[in-house]
Each structure stands twice: as structure tokens, then as C-alpha cells.
Amino acid sequence: METDFQAFVAARSTALFRGAFVLTGNREAAEDLVQETLERACRKWRTIAGKDAPEAYVRRIMVNLANDRWRRFRRLDVTSEAESGDSAAPGDEFGQVDNRDQLVRALQQLPMRMRTVVVLRYFHDLSDTEIAADLGISPSTVRSQLARGIEKLRDQIPALSTPSPQRHREGIR
């Protein structure tokens, strides 16, 4: 069983870290979240390994822990600094880092369930039914939370609202 858990950690820790980073907004908190998630998963690994989808179970542990942290920080009334609306030029690697930081900060402004739905859809590439099963909500709730979350992100980051050049060309005949 121990080797199964080690194989799981080796295979999935990078994906868990990406999701944790987007949920928490910074590297240190994401590392702590992944570590705590894996610690809890290790303690229950025999039960988790027997499930149909152990990764979904571990992801659920991570989301619940992130929710707990968010509630704790929300009580502290932590506010983030406003970001400028500058967008990076193509090929500008430093500008791309700024854009990613701006996106993570915008995600932090979303309510936790909405943020979780957006992260699971776009960072873990899960379907509505998979997200609904992970979070214990209906697929229609997933779709409404996703639509509202994307709309709020577009309001916070206007560059997300502008159509891409490829999309624009597709509409011209």
C-alpha cells in the first residue's frame, strides 16, 4: 500500500500543486495545502485506494482544506492590491508572469465555490458532472457558478473579454 501511495504522489503532486496554487494565490500556501492534503490522504490511503476515483477523493480533501483556509483568511479581512490593466506583448515572458499573477489575484476575489469550480474546470480539465460529483452539487449549479465566475473575472480583467485574433478571423467570411 505504501508504494501505491508513493506512486500516486509522484504521478499527481504536480497537478495538485497547480490547483492548490490557483486556489490559494501564492506558492508557499499552495505547498502547505498540498502537503496537508497528502498528509491526510496518506492517513486514509487504504480507504482512498479502494475508491473508484482516488484522485477525485484527494482533490476533494484539497478543496475542503482550501475552503477552510479561505474562511479563516476571510475573517481577517485580507485585501489585495489593485493590479494595472496592462497586457503583455506576445513573447514577453515577464509580462506573461504579470498576467498570470493578475489572473490568480482575480481568482482570489471570487467566492470560494465559484473559484473552486473555475479551477477544477480550467486547471484540472474536469467536466460538469465530474465537478458536481467532487463538490456534491448538481451539474446545473456547476454551470451557473462557472458562468458567473467567468463573468466576474472578465469584469476584473478586461483583457479576458477581448476576443482573440483567431476567434475574430473565424467570424469573417
Side-chain angles (χ1 to χ4, degrees), residues 43-172:
R43 282 189 263 150
K44 298 180 180 182
W45 187 248
R46 288 179 189 250
T47 305
I48 294 170
K51 302 280 184 188
D52 289 336
E55 183 179 349
Y57 194 92
V58 172
R59 216 176 19 250
R60 178 65 183 226
I61 292 171
M62 185 174 72
V63 166
N64 288 340
L65 288 171
N67 283 339
D68 292 345
R69 287 173 180 232
W70 183 76
R71 286 183 197 110
R72 230 177 303 144
F73 288 125
R74 188 172 181 201
R75 278 186 231 125
L76 297 174
D77 197 32
V78 176
T79 58
S80 66
E81 299 173 16
E83 288 289 315
S84 65
D86 299 337
S87 61
D92 179 9
E93 292 179 23
F94 293 111
Q96 294 297 328
V97 170
D98 288 342
N99 287 344
R100 270 186 251 134
D101 182 55
Q102 185 179 12
L103 177 60
V104 169
R105 287 178 187 266
L107 281 165
Q108 293 301 306
Q109 299 302 312
L110 296 178
M112 191 63 194
R113 180 188 284 180
M114 201 176 287
R115 180 185 336 155
T116 302
V117 168
V118 171
V119 167
L120 291 177
R121 167 57 60 81
Y122 293 106
F123 290 87
H124 288 280
D125 202 27
L126 299 181
S127 69
D128 293 348
T129 53
E130 291 171 319
I131 295 169
D134 274 7
L135 300 180
I137 57 178
S138 70
S140 61
T141 302
V142 169
R143 287 188 294 275
S144 70
Q145 291 290 304
L146 186 62
R148 290 179 185 151
I150 296 301
E151 185 62 33
K152 286 185 177 196
L153 288 173
R154 285 183 176 144
D155 289 345
Q156 290 179 15
I157 307 173
L160 293 176
S161 300
T162 58
S164 67
Q166 181 182 24
R167 229 191 264 157
H168 183 67
R169 275 189 251 119
E170 289 173 357
I172 300 173

Side-chain angles (χ1 to χ4, degrees), residues 14 19 32 35 117 159-160:
T14 302
D32 290 345
Q35 181 177 356
V117 168
L160 293 176

